[in-house]
Amino acid sequence: MQIRPLTLDHADAAARLWEQGGLTRPWNDPRADFRTAVQGPASEVLGALASDTLLGTVMVGHEGHRGWLYYLAVDAERRGAGVGRALVAAAERWIEDQGIPKVMLMIRAENEAVRRFYAGLGYVDQEVSVLGRFLDDDLQRLRQGAGGG
């Protein structure tokens, strides 16, 4: 297995993995999220690949003070084999290489399995609330009507 930055050519495979893992929401276009991260100056999508098969992903980026992890996903057949742990370690190295001292992530409140996974890697609750809103009124209505994160 090799972990490396993905290219625009991987957008469909990554989005399929995110959809299969239940990471997507109707108000977020995963392919657009992928393209934005891959083309951004302070972000990447790292992929775990065996030959040309995408086993997992993690989106990583920073805003100058905090690094952020998003879209950590591992193919269902590879879960429990250390792929997720390897991706988080690679993302942490990427953040550290950018000179960023802290890494953050968001977990949906109902996702206890993911909370346990990250706790096992030393992540702790930062005791903050994340608030947000869409600037597009249609997306805001869709988000408010759907519930969840």
Side-chain angles (χ1 to χ4, degrees), residues 5-6 19 28 34 36-37 48 50-51 66 68 71 79-80 83 90 92 101-104 110 114 124 134 139 148:
L6 298 180
E19 289 162 352
N28 291 339
F34 182 93
T36 298
S51 300
R66 292 173 196 89
W68 287 88
Y71 286 117
R79 290 185 190 146
V83 176
E92 290 173 343
K102 184 177 188 177
V103 60
M104 305 281 287
E110 72 276 4
V114 169
V124 297
F134 283 96
L139 288 175

Side-chain angles (χ1 to χ4, degrees), residues 6 11 13-24 29-31 33-35 45 56-59 70-73:
L6 298 180
R16 278 192 302 273
L17 195 60
W18 299 345
E19 289 162 352
Q20 291 167 358
L23 300 179
T24 61
D29 177 352
R31 286 163 184 80
D33 288 350
F34 182 93
R35 287 189 301 272
V45 179
T57 66
V58 64
M59 183 183 290
Y70 304 93
Y71 286 117
L72 177 66

Side-chain angles (χ1 to χ4, degrees), residues 5-90:
L6 298 180
T7 67
L8 290 174
D9 294 335
H10 297 102
D12 288 336
R16 278 192 302 273
L17 195 60
W18 299 345
E19 289 162 352
Q20 291 167 358
L23 300 179
T24 61
R25 293 297 184 259
W27 49 86
N28 291 339
D29 177 352
R31 286 163 184 80
D33 288 350
F34 182 93
R35 287 189 301 272
T36 298
V38 168
Q39 295 174 326
S43 57
E44 297 212 59
V45 179
L46 303 177
L49 296 118
S51 300
D52 287 329
T53 302
L54 186 60
L55 308 177
T57 66
V58 64
M59 183 183 290
V60 61
H62 71 87
E63 31 72 344
H65 177 68
R66 292 173 196 89
W68 287 88
L69 305 184
Y70 304 93
Y71 286 117
L72 177 66
V74 175
D75 181 88
E77 294 180 14
R78 297 296 185 122
R79 290 185 190 146
V83 176
R85 287 178 177 273
L87 283 162
V88 170

Side-chain angles (χ1 to χ4, degrees), residues 115-135:
R115 185 176 304 280
R116 286 189 302 274
F117 170 79
Y118 282 111
L121 297 177
Y123 285 74
V124 297
D125 189 333
Q126 298 294 293
E127 299 182 9
V128 298
S129 295
V130 178
L131 306 178
R133 79 177 213 80
F134 283 96
L135 301 176

